[in-house]
Amino acid sequence: MSRASEGWQVGPAPGRGLRPGKDGLLELPLHVLRPGRASLASLVLTVVEAEQLHAALCYALGDKPAPENAPECRKPIRYPGGRQKY
């Protein structure tokens, strides 16, 4: 979870992953914490916006080596119990 000014924090919602939304959009549930409150919100992206975010993250990571347990790009992650997430 990242920390913003004035005590706000935003990060992926625990136990929820990226999911397909309506009309081909993608929704990433976020957990938003601010002093005295917790909320859920979704970052809604088109496929083009998701690709732009993906490219920007790849660029930002640069030549840093991927952790051994990092998933391969564009392959689903399987969690214990058979659940699959982005």
Side-chain angles (χ1 to χ4, degrees):
M1 181 151 318
S2 65
R3 295 181 186 270
S5 63
E6 301 177 24
W8 285 65
Q9 296 179 13
V10 178
R16 301 173 184 229
L18 184 68
R19 63 180 184 254
K22 294 180 182 178
D23 300 321
L25 299 174
L26 301 167
E27 296 182 27
L28 179 61
L30 299 174
H31 194 212
V32 182
L33 299 173
R34 56 186 174 174
R37 290 194 110 161
S39 302
L40 286 176
S42 288
L43 174 61
V44 180
L45 301 166
T46 65
V47 172
V48 171
E49 291 168 332
E51 287 291 353
Q52 290 170 336
L53 177 58
H54 178 245
L57 290 169
C58 286
Y59 180 77
L61 290 169
D63 57 359
K64 294 180 179 88
E68 285 186 31
N69 61 348
E72 287 189 45
C73 181
R74 296 182 185 260
K75 294 204 176 183
I77 301 171
R78 295 224 177 254
Y79 289 93
R83 289 182 34 224
Q84 178 178 315
K85 286 193 193 173
Y86 49 94

